Amino acid sequence: DTGVSQNPRHKITKRGQNVTFRCDPISEHNRLYWYRQTLGQGPEFLTYFQNEAQLEKSRLLSDRFSAERPKGSFSTLEIQRTEQGDSAMYLCASSDGQRRGPNTEAFFGQGTRLTVV
Amino acid sequence: AQSVTQLDSQVPVFEEAPVELRCNYSSSVSVYLFWYVQYPNQGLQLLLKYLSGSTLVKGINGFEAEFNKSQTSFHLRKPSVHISDTAEYFCAVSLNFGNEKLTFGTGTRLTIIP
């Protein structure tokens, strides 16, 4: 397994357009997270899935944002009617929530850099 | 809610000199602590983590960190840095129950001067 994979790596879009990003987690991981990282800031949590269920959403996730994980495997993050403020790196992470013992580590993908012009 | 403070946004260090990157956290419940490194245009890579036990934690690339509960700190150290250590470093916490959702600090940019 090659780790968490995100596509595309870069996306440039015009303001008002819709964009969709994909995340493929590590195959045996049942937990998946989306984060957003703006320039000069640390990543901020957006949403979390356990299998196909979306269990938590940040208030950062406005109505224009929607995330899905239809079969508990890959996930998509869609942004509708993009705004310049949406320009950021979108990071996906996965973890193995089925392991016994304390939660330990989330593995991150390389991210999708979105530029809204 | 928990929060993480990284007081130094940028730290320049001469090659082969020691370095300490500071991290303080705030939480009303027990947390796990992490340091991640991010190279330009890359995702995050885990350097080390503190879950329990010994307060001195050793990680990859020669880094170590010490958990200090009374000072709510988790500072990252390396005795001798290399050019390849130039990167952004993030301190993060997660609750010690439930999922692995992370709360990050704003990061410290480590620049190694030849």
Side-chain angles (χ1 to χ4, degrees):
Chain A
D1 185 74
T2 56
V4 179
S5 176
Q6 291 189 247
N7 287 289
R9 290 291 310 279
H10 304 274
K11 178 71 176 179
I12 300 175
T13 191
K14 291 183 178 180
R15 189 176 53 185
Q17 297 294 306
N18 299 343
V19 294
T20 300
F21 311 139
R22 175 176 171 129
C23 171
D24 288 273
I26 293 172
S27 58
E28 64 268 24
H29 286 184
N30 65 337
R31 291 177 176 169
L32 187 146
Y33 311 80
W34 284 99
Y35 291 83
R36 180 174 69 185
Q37 184 180 19
T38 53
L39 204 59
Q41 299 297 315
E44 296 173 295
F45 170 78
L46 291 179
T47 190
Y48 152 66
F49 289 85
Q50 179 147 324
N51 299 312
E52 66 275 10
Q54 189 174 19
L55 297 185
E56 189 172 349
K57 291 171 62 173
S58 163
R59 61 179 181 273
L60 293 175
L61 216 63
S62 75
D63 291 345
R64 296 184 298 104
F65 288 70
S66 63
E68 295 183 343
R69 195 182 182 197
K71 296 182 179 180
S73 56
F74 72 91
S75 175
T76 58
L77 177 67
E78 181 184 16
I79 309 174
Q80 296 182 328
R81 305 181 303 281
T82 52
E83 302 172 355
Q84 287 189 322
D86 297 331
S87 295
M89 174 83 90
Y90 290 84
L91 294 164
C92 177
S94 71
S95 66
D96 184 358
Q98 297 174 98
R99 289 183 60 184
R100 293 183 179 176
N103 56 351
T104 56
E105 181 178 354
F107 294 82
F108 283 81
Q110 293 188 306
T112 295
R113 182 167 295 283
L114 173 66
T115 302
V116 181
V117 297
Chain B
Q2 56 275 13
S3 65
V4 177
T5 301
Q6 292 181 250
L7 291 172
D8 305 307
S9 60
Q10 297 187 59
V11 173
V13 180
F14 285 104
E15 194 173 13
E16 297 184 5
V19 68
E20 178 180 85
L21 305 183
R22 296 182 294 169
C23 172
N24 288 87
Y25 70 94
S26 173
S27 177
S28 57
V29 298
S30 295
V31 294
Y32 295 146
L33 295 151
F34 304 81
W35 275 99
Y36 282 85
V37 61
Q38 186 176 37
Y39 299 103
N41 296 313
Q42 298 294 316
L44 300 170
Q45 181 183 8
L46 182 68
L47 278 178
L48 48 78
K49 61 192 175 192
Y50 173 79
L51 305 180
S52 64
S54 172
T55 57
L56 183 62
V57 180
K58 293 190 184 296
I60 62 171
N61 301 342
F63 284 94
E64 63 180 33
E66 186 157 18
F67 170 58
N68 188 318
K69 187 174 182 179
S70 62
Q71 297 187 2
T72 59
S73 69
F74 191 54
H75 301 330
L76 181 70
R77 302 186 185 100
K78 186 170 183 178
S80 176
V81 296
H82 304 282
I83 289 288
S84 59
D85 293 323
T86 296
E88 190 91 20
Y89 291 80
F90 292 96
C91 183
V93 301
S94 72
L95 299 180
N96 70 346
F97 58 90
N99 64 55
E100 292 80 15
K101 183 179 78 171
L102 293 159
T103 300
F104 287 88
T106 52
T108 297
R109 179 169 298 279
L110 177 62
T111 301
I112 308 304
I113 305 166

